[in-house]
Amino acid sequence: MLSMQCLDIAREKKEKQLEMLKKFHHFQNLAELYHAYHSIQRYTDEPFSSHLPEALFNISRFLLHNLTKETPLGISKVNTLFALAKQSKALGAYKLARHAYDKLQGLRIPTRFQESIELGSLTIRSKPFHDSEDFVPMCYRCSTNNPLLNNQGNVCINCRQPFVFSASSYEVLPLVQFYLEEGITDEEAVALIDREAPKTEQKKDTWQETTIGDSQTLHLDDDMAKIEADPFTAKLSFEQGGSDFVPVVVNREVLQSMSKRDVLIKRWPKPLRWHYYRSLLPDVSITMCPTCFQMFHSEDYELLVLQHNCCPYCRRPIDESSP
């Protein structure tokens, strides 16, 4: 709410626009951190938790990667590392658990955690020095498997593409953010996506028979090589080994080739530009709140809405129309 008030001021007062937009992004980031940390605090302070171990594992990793520079008031790095250590050990991410326990040794530990941390630090030494591959996050832009502990933060170590997280389970969503080519307005982009280029009918695969002397050969028709690839997929390429992030920029032709079912748009009020995301796994259903623009796995979102009758992030009543 505070960030949206800054956005309103930026829209109304041109002289304060840059200052208010900076505050908007700062408060948006704080809101994400406090929302995630709420689950960690409940886990450490209450005897029971409604979150699955995988969710707590993802949340604590998300927070740790965002707390590299400074820790906001009210967020405990001890609680975050404690939750990460416990869940990493339970899920077989022993290398990450070792790291979390080692980091905890250099912090001031509350008395209620000391015995558990000392015991965990000892027992983790008997475990293998590697992480389970079941929880390794994959970049959907370049298909690179990323380490569980990423010094770069919540971005891909290869292409630097920022990860898009579900705001409930904090799993990496199969989304890639893209940007519009200069000269394309938001309204034009939406019109092109809604239009959708007609699908060209592809020739069926056929086998060709070739007879040379006494030998006969069957081979697949070469027309298969002529099938056009998805224009958006071609835009995902980037220069290998580069240290700078190269965003995906699309033109009108690529926009028209997209299906509106695969595109999610954060329609921020002016003076912000809209944010565009393309789903690379259309079978994975993703829901976006029309007010806060946070994204969720559809099943998680529907369950949380049934429980609370509001958005699990911004708490907008579900029967209330979006602005």
Side-chain angles (χ1 to χ4, degrees):
M1 184 176 292
L2 188 57
S3 63
M4 297 308 294
Q5 289 177 352
C6 291
L7 194 57
D8 291 338
I9 296 174
R11 185 168 57 251
E12 295 169 0
K13 299 181 179 180
K14 299 293 183 182
E15 67 277 6
K16 292 187 175 182
Q17 190 173 99
L18 290 178
E19 178 189 356
M20 289 297 109
L21 287 178
K22 186 177 180 180
K23 287 186 176 182
F24 165 80
H25 292 297
H26 174 67
F27 290 137
Q28 281 281 313
N29 180 58
L30 283 180
E32 291 182 2
L33 295 181
Y34 284 127
H35 177 264
Y37 182 71
H38 177 66
S39 302
I40 298 297
Q41 185 169 23
R42 291 190 63 183
Y43 169 72
T44 56
D45 292 353
E46 299 178 4
F48 302 102
S49 173
S50 59
H51 287 82
L52 294 173
E54 292 84 353
L56 291 169
F57 175 74
N58 291 331
I59 293 170
S60 53
R61 281 185 56 251
F62 171 82
L63 282 171
L64 192 62
H65 287 147
N66 277 286
L67 299 179
T68 53
K69 295 181 180 179
E70 60 178 351
T71 304
L73 185 66
I75 294 181
S76 168
K77 205 166 187 178
V78 171
N79 287 0
T80 304
L81 285 167
F82 178 71
L84 179 62
K86 296 271 287 186
Q87 302 309 319
S88 298
K89 184 180 178 183
L91 295 172
Y94 302 122
K95 183 179 179 181
L96 183 57
R98 270 189 175 88
H99 172 81
Y101 280 120
D102 288 345
K103 286 290 185 182
L104 283 168
Q105 300 302 323
L107 299 175
R108 183 178 298 175
I109 309 298
T111 306
R112 59 195 178 101
F113 290 156
Q114 283 183 352
E115 183 178 350
S116 177
I117 290 174
E118 290 173 0
L119 181 60
S121 299
L122 289 174
T123 55
I124 195 63
R125 299 178 186 276
S126 65
K127 303 297 182 182
F129 194 77
H130 63 78
D131 293 326
S132 171
E133 296 182 358
D134 295 339
F135 303 99
V136 173
M138 187 188 77
C139 173
Y140 286 93
R141 177 177 179 179
C142 65
S143 301
T144 300
N145 286 332
N146 282 254
L148 292 175
L149 186 64
N150 188 347
N151 293 329
Q152 303 290 337
N154 287 318
V155 299
C156 174
I157 58 171
N158 187 26
C159 66
R160 305 296 192 272
Q161 180 74 31
F163 293 126
V164 183
F165 294 92
S166 163
S168 56
S169 64
Y170 284 85
E171 294 178 0
V172 177
L173 296 174
L175 298 173
V176 172
Q177 184 175 5
F178 63 90
Y179 300 84
L180 305 179
E181 198 175 62
E182 190 174 353
I184 303 177
T185 64
D186 291 325
E187 292 74 15
E188 183 185 0
V190 172
L192 289 169
I193 294 170
D194 288 343
R195 188 182 304 171
E196 290 192 27
K199 301 294 183 182
T200 56
E201 186 177 350
Q202 302 292 349
K203 185 177 178 181
K204 293 184 178 179
D205 306 345
T206 56
W207 288 94
Q208 300 292 331
E209 181 179 349
T210 304
T211 302
I212 303 176
D214 295 333
S215 64
Q216 292 181 331
T217 305
L218 282 175
H219 63 88
L220 195 60
D221 194 355
D222 289 340
D223 284 344
M224 282 293 292
K226 299 177 183 178
I227 297 178
E228 295 182 353
D230 180 5
F232 181 79
T233 305
K235 292 287 185 180
L236 298 181
S237 60
F238 61 96
E239 185 178 352
Q240 294 284 349
S243 58
D244 296 329
F245 169 59
V246 180
V248 180
V249 180
V250 302
N251 54 27
R252 291 176 175 85
E253 181 184 355
V254 177
L255 287 169
Q256 192 169 350
S257 71
M258 294 182 186
S259 169
K260 60 183 179 182
R261 293 179 294 275
D262 300 337
V263 178
L264 291 169
I265 305 174
K266 294 184 176 182
R267 302 173 188 251
W268 290 108
K270 291 185 181 303
L272 293 177
R273 291 294 301 269
W274 293 354
H275 293 176
Y276 298 84
Y277 298 84
R278 164 74 186 273
S279 174
L280 298 183
L281 295 179
D283 292 339
V284 177
S285 181
I286 299 172
T287 298
M288 181 177 69
C289 173
T291 301
C292 63
F293 303 120
Q294 290 293 326
M295 301 181 191
F296 308 82
H297 285 294
S298 294
E299 292 181 356
D300 295 342
Y301 182 78
E302 291 168 2
L303 178 61
L304 290 168
V305 165
L306 285 174
Q307 292 175 344
H308 307 289
N309 197 35
C310 63
C311 169
Y313 188 87
C314 66
R315 300 185 182 174
R316 175 188 65 92
I318 206 59
D319 54 352
E320 180 180 303
S321 58
S322 59

